[in-house]
Amino acid sequence: MTTAHRARMAAAAAILCAAASAAPALAQSKGGDVVGPVDDSEAAAKVAAAESGEVRGVNPADILSRADLVVKVTNLEQGEAFVAVAKYDQKLGEGLGANVELPVASYINVGAADAFGMGDLFMRLRYVKPLSQSVIALASAELVAPTATNDLLGTGKWQLNPGGGLVKVWSPKMFTALVYKHSFSIAGDDARAEINANSARVVHSFIFDKGYYLTLDGRHEWQSAGVNEDWSTTEIEVGRQFSASLAASMRIGKAYGDRANDGAVEINVRTFF
């Protein structure tokens, strides 16, 4: 990576850190609105619960109405990538939810080529069902539309991706999730590579006092269509639930194998409805 590339990556990381440091101030303002002169006891109770350790949306089994803004910077082996993703989740009923996710601004530089624009659109349905007091089953169906404005920013394929998993709740402060997803292309640009990929993921989270949490995330993926590839990603995330309606987190990680990178930083700011 060139000196200029490193400088851009450092500047982006500094901006992300500044955004993260600003989040507590935003949360304080929001909290003041909730428990201000108007005596809204229900809202105040929710804020108190968040401050005492209640964390929302970290467990994959949570079905909530929320909006996320995710900004990620990746240091590639021969360049860099930046993406800003807008996500929206809507609770449809008990155990059922829908989700849309769109990379609204993506930039990638792989040395010989670069591109800026929008990425592929992801649409999902999710269903969760408790199997016992401590085990929850997950099921999902994902449709991917090839909306990317440049070949470097998307696959060029329509995809249908089923998934499923289990969540084991060890205690109110700790859980483990095992998740599997199969991705395959069903239509799209005939000149682009077919997709037949698998993802196996393990997530373990710890919930701490005052809304803090820590998540360890490991994922192995393999592609068996066209050129066979496999790669793994390890990530760690630290976040906080500032109030009943506002949370933020920072995640760092690294990928190994056929799709390796030299590290990534991700900031997520989310609001709950």
Side-chain angles (χ1 to χ4, degrees):
M1 174 173 290
T2 66
T3 301
H5 289 165
R6 292 193 183 95
R8 285 196 295 271
M9 291 290 287
I15 293 171
L16 295 179
C17 291
S21 64
L26 294 173
Q28 181 65 37
S29 175
K30 183 70 175 179
D33 293 340
V34 170
V35 295
V38 177
D39 184 17
D40 187 339
S41 57
E42 182 180 354
K46 290 181 179 179
V47 172
E51 292 179 345
S52 67
E54 182 177 324
V55 174
R56 309 176 70 194
V58 176
N59 190 329
D62 288 345
I63 299 291
L64 301 165
S65 294
R66 57 187 274 190
D68 296 47
L69 177 62
V70 183
V71 178
K72 184 174 183 178
V73 178
T74 304
N75 186 0
L76 303 174
E77 291 187 324
Q78 296 181 341
E80 67 266 347
F82 168 90
V83 61
V85 179
K87 299 172 63 178
Y88 179 75
D89 288 74
Q90 178 64 51
K91 183 175 181 179
L92 301 177
E94 190 63 34
L96 182 64
N99 165 277
V100 292
E101 176 180 331
L102 180 66
V104 293
S106 298
Y107 171 76
I108 185 169
N109 182 340
V110 291
D114 63 354
F116 176 81
M118 186 173 68
D120 289 343
L121 173 66
F122 292 76
M123 298 166 281
R124 306 179 184 93
L125 283 175
R126 299 175 57 232
Y127 179 69
V128 304
K129 182 177 178 59
L131 301 181
S132 69
Q133 290 186 339
S134 63
V135 178
I136 305 166
L138 314 173
S140 65
E142 178 180 82
L143 178 67
V144 182
T147 57
T149 55
N150 186 283
D151 285 354
L152 288 175
L153 305 176
T155 64
K157 294 289 189 179
W158 287 87
Q159 300 173 52
L160 183 59
N161 308 332
L166 294 171
V167 176
K168 170 64 176 177
V169 180
W170 304 101
S171 75
K173 299 289 188 179
M174 185 172 65
F175 68 84
T176 302
L178 305 175
V179 183
Y180 170 80
K181 183 172 78 171
H182 179 64
S183 304
F184 61 96
S185 51
I186 55 175
D189 187 350
D190 291 336
R192 303 293 299 275
E194 295 295 323
I195 297 170
N196 185 4
N198 302 272
S199 171
R201 184 180 179 191
V202 179
V203 179
H204 189 79
S205 291
F206 303 90
I207 310 299
F208 303 110
D209 292 337
K210 297 185 178 180
Y212 289 98
Y213 72 89
L214 172 70
T215 293
L216 307 176
D217 193 339
R219 184 168 63 253
H220 182 68
E221 300 172 81
W222 61 102
Q223 161 83 10
S224 55
V227 178
N228 291 341
E229 295 180 317
D230 69 276
W231 63 101
S232 299
T233 305
T234 57
E235 297 176 320
I236 182 169
E237 178 178 323
V238 177
R240 190 186 182 197
Q241 187 83 34
F242 295 107
S243 72
S245 61
L246 180 66
S249 60
M250 173 180 284
R251 175 179 287 241
I252 59 173
K254 191 177 188 313
Y256 309 84
D258 293 320
R259 299 188 186 181
N261 63 43
D262 291 333
V265 179
E266 175 182 304
I267 294 291
N268 182 314
V269 179
R270 49 199 177 272
T271 185
F272 301 88
F273 307 106

